[in-house]
Amino acid sequence: MAVPIAVLDCDLLLYGRGHRTLDRFKLEDVTDEYLVSTYGFPRRFICYLVDLLGASLSRPTQRSRAISPETQVLAALGFYTSGSFQTRMGDAIGISQASMSRCVANVTEALVERAPRFIHFPEDEAAVRSLKDDFYALAGMPGVLGVVDCTHVAIKAPNAEDLSYVNRKGLHSLNCLMVCDARGALLSAETHWPGSMPDCTVLQQAALTSQFETELHKDGWLLGDSSFFLRTWLMTPLHIPETPAEYRYNMAHSATHNIIERTFRTIRSRFRCLDGSKGTLQYSPEKSSHIILACCVLHNISLQHGLDVWSAPAAGHVEPAEEEYEQMESMDSEACRIRQELLLTHFS
């Protein structure tokens, strides 16, 4: 008699193996060391995620037994931090590779739904003032509301004809525009841009630009590198500094802007599904974008829980250095005036 596949996938795999599954022990029954080594995070963090996402993960099912929110969270964390659907990972929690894939999809969407709660600019005056003070303490650059840059995440080719995701290195990728604060917490993350788009074009079309030009703070600016145009709300380095004040400005700019590069390294080091060491993300651009954003949400939550802010670059896979970009010259006279006033007031 034929055995229904659904029974094999849930009941046999959840009950029939000799090792322990989550239905046979609680999170409290294993050590933090085991959880961190296998899933990347300690127990209290995992329990917080289960509470946070539980309502979204406890959906009705026609099966005799649904996969628990705890199992779904652990499956997703295992994928995010290892970059693969290894049989060992499924064995550790008693589910198949296909079930792991569904768990990752469920947890990813639940995290994406909550992204605005965890990734946003501060709104009250005290928080904005604290944000500026934290940046000023780094290298003496005043008025900074965030540092912005783009980073590429490799994905599988959507199809042979679609070249919009092929970047300048000839690889398929998503170009992700992000802003962080002085601690490395993300204030904005747009993860869906095709890899063929230059950084300056991404910023020009991004919601971030509309946010700053129409509604956000008028008494500060972001810091961006020379791949972006100088704007009234985006200070870039001087292409050819000549005076001592210009050199000091560029040095302070570089030291402050470096925070976003360190943040990128931290995210890739913690979430190995993004670093390319186990291959590209094997999903459509839309699903890959959601996975990247989910990792960004987890990055911010981990900072809120006091987990390490900066991680050392991984010893194994090393991300290739970004290609040189074209120096962008600004035609915005008001932006040039603001930068010159900044030079005279704070760096002369």
Side-chain angles (χ1 to χ4, degrees), residues 4-25:
I5 295 298
V7 173
L8 283 174
D9 185 45
C10 279
D11 295 337
L12 178 60
L13 290 175
L14 280 173
Y15 301 127
R17 291 175 173 174
H19 55 68
R20 298 182 301 175
T21 70
L22 282 184
D23 294 278
R24 298 176 183 171
F25 71 91

Side-chain angles (χ1 to χ4, degrees), residues 115-129 131-132 135 143-149 177-182 185-190 203 207-213 215-217 220-223 233-234 260 300:
R117 172 177 168 183
F118 294 100
I119 303 176
H120 59 82
F121 284 91
E123 296 180 355
D124 63 276
E125 292 185 10
V128 172
R129 185 164 55 251
L131 179 64
K132 293 180 181 179
F135 274 118
V144 180
L145 299 169
V147 287
V148 59
D149 207 348
L177 178 73
M178 301 187 192
V179 180
C180 75
D181 67 12
L186 295 171
L187 304 173
S188 177
E190 300 185 34
L203 180 62
L208 180 69
T209 294
S210 174
Q211 196 176 11
F212 266 82
E213 290 187 343
E215 61 189 63
L216 210 56
H217 316 288
W221 38 73
L222 302 177
L223 297 187
W233 49 269
L234 177 63
I260 189 69
N300 275 12

Side-chain angles (χ1 to χ4, degrees), residues 26-27 35 41-42 44 51 57 71 76 93 96 124 142 144 169 190 200 234 245 276 280 284-285 304 312 327 335 345:
K26 298 180 180 179
L27 285 175
L35 292 173
F41 293 95
R44 61 185 176 84
D51 290 340
L57 301 179
T71 302
I93 53 179
S96 66
D124 63 276
V144 180
K169 296 179 181 179
E190 300 185 34
C200 62
L234 177 63
T280 62
S284 67
Q304 291 181 6
Q327 298 280 342
T345 303

Side-chain angles (χ1 to χ4, degrees), residues 74-196:
L74 287 177
L77 291 179
F79 169 72
Y80 297 147
T81 58
S82 74
S84 65
F85 291 116
Q86 299 175 7
T87 301
R88 178 186 62 82
M89 188 67 67
D91 286 347
I93 53 179
I95 62 174
S96 66
Q97 181 172 318
S99 293
M100 274 200 67
S101 182
R102 288 194 296 273
C103 292
V104 170
N106 292 342
V107 173
T108 295
E109 291 311 306
L111 287 168
V112 167
E113 289 172 3
R114 291 159 176 80
R117 172 177 168 183
F118 294 100
I119 303 176
H120 59 82
F121 284 91
E123 296 180 355
D124 63 276
E125 292 185 10
V128 172
R129 185 164 55 251
S130 177
L131 179 64
K132 293 180 181 179
D133 291 345
D134 289 345
F135 274 118
Y136 187 80
L138 294 175
M141 181 69 75
V144 180
L145 299 169
V147 287
V148 59
D149 207 348
C150 289
T151 187
H152 286 259
V153 175
I155 62 172
K156 74 172 183 179
N159 57 65
E161 293 76 26
D162 189 352
L163 300 180
S164 63
Y165 291 93
V166 179
N167 61 33
R168 292 196 297 176
K169 296 179 181 179
L171 304 174
H172 290 81
S173 68
L174 291 168
N175 196 1
C176 306
L177 178 73
M178 301 187 192
V179 180
C180 75
D181 67 12
R183 299 184 308 117
L186 295 171
L187 304 173
S188 177
E190 300 185 34
T191 59
H192 62 283
W193 298 102
S196 66

Side-chain angles (χ1 to χ4, degrees), residues 183-261:
R183 299 184 308 117
L186 295 171
L187 304 173
S188 177
E190 300 185 34
T191 59
H192 62 283
W193 298 102
S196 66
M197 292 181 65
D199 293 358
C200 62
T201 305
V202 168
L203 180 62
Q204 183 179 359
Q205 299 183 19
L208 180 69
T209 294
S210 174
Q211 196 176 11
F212 266 82
E213 290 187 343
T214 62
E215 61 189 63
L216 210 56
H217 316 288
K218 303 297 183 182
D219 55 347
W221 38 73
L222 302 177
L223 297 187
D225 61 26
S226 296
S227 64
F228 300 115
F229 286 110
L230 177 71
R231 299 169 183 258
T232 57
W233 49 269
L234 177 63
M235 294 292 103
T236 60
L238 291 146
H239 182 31
I240 304 178
E242 298 177 348
T243 68
E246 291 175 345
Y247 276 101
R248 285 192 289 270
Y249 167 84
N250 270 14
M251 289 177 64
H253 188 291
S254 176
T256 307
H257 186 265
N258 186 53
I259 296 296
I260 189 69
E261 299 298 336

Side-chain angles (χ1 to χ4, degrees), residues 312-329:
H317 177 78
V318 177
E319 181 189 7
E322 294 288 336
E323 287 190 17
E324 291 296 319
Y325 44 73
E326 180 182 357
Q327 298 280 342
M328 307 305 295
E329 296 295 337

